[in-house]
Structure formats: C-alpha cells, structure tokens
C-alpha cells in the first residue's frame, strides 16, 4: 500500500512542471528507500549527481550520509530518503520559498504514505518545513515534536564537507538516532494505548482456549 502510493507519487513528480525548476532539470529525484521504514530522512534538493541519476544523496554528501548510517549499523535500504524539492536548483543554489511551497504537496503525500515514526531533517530548509522558527545550532541531535510527527534535526552532510568541525557533530548526533527512534515509538504506543476508547469496562468472560493458536487469537475484551 505504502509502496504503491510512493510509486504513484514518484510518477507524478516525473511529469511535474509546476515550478520553474523543471526547466533546468536533468531528472527528477523523487526519493527512494524502504517503503516500510519508520525513518524518513529529508534533505534539501538534488545536486549534480542526483540530477544525472534521479537518485537522492549519491554525490559527495551522499557518501558521507552512507557513512553516517553505517556508523550505527544501518544502510540506506533501511530508511527512506527524500528532499524538500525534487528538481535541482540551478548551480546548487538554495531552493526558493515558493519552489519549496509548490513542491511540498509531494513530500506531504510521501509522509502520508510512509507514516514514519521519526523524520530526520538534514539541513535548515528541511528543518524549517517542520519547525519554522527553529535554529539548527540549538536543536540538532535532539528529538522534537511537531504536530503529530517526531523530528530529529541534523546538520546537512554537505555542511561537514565545507566545515570539518561539523563532521564529529554529525557522527555524534547520528549515534543518538536509534535511541530517539525507540523513544518516539514508545511515546506513540503510550498515546495509542491511552487514546483507545474503553467500550467494555468489565472484561467479558473468556471461554477456555482449546489450543495455543486459538488462545493467541482471543480478543482482549
Ligand atoms: N543534497 C541534498 O539535500 N539532497 C540530495 O539529494 C543531495 C544532496
């Protein structure tokens, strides 16, 4: 179901001409990864390698992202990777606010299809989508709530390619991601349990099970 929806969204992105970025693109870069993953990574926009291949984070920043994921025993196939804009801004300039706004319909739908437990924002454009007034220098590496979602802000890997002191920060923040995912899962589970309406205050009598299989299928109430 998630995979089909994601493929459909990718097909629509492939034909998109809603903003000026389409005119200069080579290929659209809808995103890729595990459609069942609880973790969505959101970068800014495609660079030259991404534009040439149609795949996110396959250039120098992507190599660092792969290293970061490997450092916690994950691979890019374990997560889903997307960007706030799906077409390359000319000369790798920052995406304009109206380009981000126009393209957000696709990321909105990708989030809906994946329903991730944690969204890892890579860089400030991605962070601002979820926490508009946030400063990355203050929030990086810590789990935040935004609407119904858990956000884990990180610096953009490309920033560490220009400023080597950020490399260590990125690895330190990444080490916190598995625990942040567990904490988010637990918080969602606690909310789910407390929000289940209690239809039957007195548990109904339960007939003795005749086999282990049947016992597992018995409803709680
Ligand atoms: N930078 C991004 O933000 N996204 C990519 O896909 C590649 C580089």
């Amino acid at each position: 179901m998630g995979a089909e929806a994601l493929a459909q969204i990718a097909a629509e992105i492939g034909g998109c001409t809603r903003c000026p970025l389409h005119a200069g693109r080579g290929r659209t870069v809808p995103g890729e990864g595990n459609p069942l993953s609880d973790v969505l990574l959101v970068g800014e926009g495609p660079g030259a390698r991404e534009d040439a291949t149609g795949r996110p984070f396959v250039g120098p920043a992507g190599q660092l992202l792969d290293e970061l994921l490997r450092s916690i025993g994950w691979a890019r196939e374990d997560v889903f990777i997307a960007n706030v804009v799906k077409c390359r801004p000319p000369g790798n300039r920052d995406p304009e606010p109206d380009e981000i706004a126009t393209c957000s319909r696709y990321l909105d739908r990708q989030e809906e299809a994946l329903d991730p437990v944690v969204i890892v924002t890579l860089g400030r454009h991605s962070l601002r989508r979820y926490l508009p007034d946030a400063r990355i220098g203050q929030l990086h590496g810590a789990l935040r709530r935004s609407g119904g979602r858990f956000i884990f802000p990180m610096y953009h890997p490309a920033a560490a390619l220009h400023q080597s002191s950020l490399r260590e920060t990125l690895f330190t923040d990444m080490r916190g991601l598995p625990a942040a995912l567990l904490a988010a899962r637990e918080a969602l589970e606690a909310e789910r349990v407390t929000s289940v309406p209690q239809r039957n205050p007195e548990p109904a009598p339960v007939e003795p099970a005749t086999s282990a299989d049947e016992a597992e299928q018995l409803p709680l109430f």
Side-chain angles (χ1 to χ4, degrees), residues 13-214:
I13 291 169
C16 183
T17 56
R18 288 177 191 271
C19 92
L21 291 182
H22 83 272
R25 76 182 174 219
R27 298 179 63 167
T28 55
V29 183
E32 67 181 28
N34 186 337
L36 299 177
S37 183
D38 280 347
V39 181
L40 168 64
L41 272 62
V42 180
E44 298 191 350
R49 281 292 291 280
E50 291 78 18
D51 181 71
T53 57
R55 301 182 59 210
F57 281 98
V58 289
Q63 283 168 18
L64 179 52
L65 183 60
D66 286 344
E67 245 188 88
L68 285 158
L69 289 169
R70 269 200 306 275
S71 74
I72 55 169
W74 295 6
R76 60 163 56 218
E77 294 75 23
D78 297 323
V79 298
F80 198 91
I81 305 176
N83 283 303
V84 290
V85 296
K86 316 299 191 192
C87 296
R88 183 188 184 200
N92 289 354
R93 66 156 169 76
D94 284 350
E96 300 284 352
D98 57 334
E99 293 160 354
I100 294 175
T102 303
C103 210
S104 71
R105 73 195 65 217
Y106 298 121
L107 192 47
D108 290 345
R109 286 168 58 201
Q110 287 175 317
E111 280 174 23
E112 214 175 289
L114 274 167
D115 196 18
V117 173
V118 171
I119 297 174
V120 180
T121 60
L122 301 169
R124 62 202 159 88
H125 291 291
S126 169
L127 175 62
R128 284 201 189 127
R129 168 181 163 84
Y130 304 97
L131 299 162
D133 301 321
R135 306 270 298 271
I136 195 161
Q138 291 166 349
L139 296 195
H140 69 94
L143 195 64
R144 301 277 149 169
R145 195 85 200 244
S146 162
R149 300 277 181 211
F150 283 95
I151 310 299
F152 189 80
M154 288 184 64
Y155 283 102
H156 196 289
L161 301 177
H162 304 299
Q163 198 181 330
S164 57
S165 61
L166 283 182
R167 197 182 150 88
E168 202 43 53
T169 307
L170 269 170
F171 277 92
T172 304
D173 289 350
M174 188 57 98
R175 274 199 294 278
L177 180 56
L181 175 60
L182 280 183
R185 277 192 185 130
E186 279 172 18
L188 290 177
E189 179 59 18
E191 279 169 26
R192 197 187 64 78
V193 169
T194 52
S195 69
V196 170
Q198 202 177 355
R199 279 186 298 162
N200 208 350
E202 289 297 320
V206 173
E207 295 296 324
T210 54
S211 74
D213 276 349
E214 278 179 25

